Amino acid sequence: MADSGQLVFVLAGPSSAVEKVKPYTVGVMGRANIDFSDQPPSRATHLKIIGNTFIFNMVETLAEGHVLAEKSGLGSENLHGFIEQMFPGPYTAYSSRMMSGDYHKRENPLFVARLARKDIGHATNLAAKVGVKMSAVEVADKHLGDVVEEMGERGDIAGIYGAVRKENGMQFEN
């Protein structure tokens, strides 16, 4: 994402420090800033942790939907057409990766499953501290554990699709 200038930066801390960093973000490695000037840096960390759970839940939902589409006879292509129209952007990109087999063919993961599990641990720890249960994230974590078991360091979060396939009596690889 940094190579293609697509990062979203969450800048927190004293506004004078945030202003010094801004010239090195948008147009360099990023496409946008979220400005938390004069807020504690922990707020930026919390946003990143919570934001990543959205990604994990999106991939989990797509994986389950694709498996249901395959097993029900609807077919992944028909579901993908719906996704393209209703949810362009990351949903379409992950759906394409699932359909193409990229989730198991890739040598270098785009988002390492093992590191995603670390992020989930941070999210569930934060949630537990404030009395919140994150059931959907826990399901994604279980499937990410299956991805790591199946693929080791090559495991990418899109591999959740393979884990859901396997859980439903299909081969991990499509």
Side-chain angles (χ1 to χ4, degrees), residues 63-77:
E64 290 177 8
H66 270 287
V67 170
L68 180 57
E70 291 169 48
K71 291 199 84 161
S72 70
L74 173 64
S76 279
E77 295 79 13

Side-chain angles (χ1 to χ4, degrees), residues 78-137:
N78 289 327
L79 178 62
H80 183 73
F82 170 79
I83 292 165
E84 285 179 311
Q85 294 305 313
M86 294 297 294
F87 309 107
Y91 277 86
T92 299
Y94 273 99
S95 178
S96 295
R97 292 183 64 208
M98 291 174 187
M99 289 178 52
S100 71
D102 176 80
Y103 71 94
H104 65 83
K105 295 175 184 171
R106 177 175 288 282
E107 285 298 317
N108 297 306
L110 296 176
F111 193 149
V112 179
R114 182 183 49 76
L115 296 177
R117 294 194 78 205
K118 177 186 64 75
D119 286 355
I120 287 175
H122 292 313
T124 55
N125 288 340
L126 175 62
K129 262 197 223 179
V130 296
V132 172
K133 179 144 177 64
M134 300 194 71
S135 302
V137 172

Side-chain angles (χ1 to χ4, degrees), residues 147-167:
V147 172
V148 171
E149 185 177 312
E150 183 80 27
M151 301 193 67
E153 288 300 311
R154 285 185 45 239
D156 182 274
I157 65 168
I160 288 175
Y161 174 54
V164 173
R165 287 175 55 85
K166 192 171 181 180
E167 181 177 75

Side-chain angles (χ1 to χ4, degrees), residues 10-14 18 34-45 47:
V10 183
L11 307 172
V18 168
I34 298 173
D35 193 330
F36 282 12
S37 288
D38 295 325
Q39 295 186 48
S42 62
R43 296 252 173 103
T45 303
L47 181 63

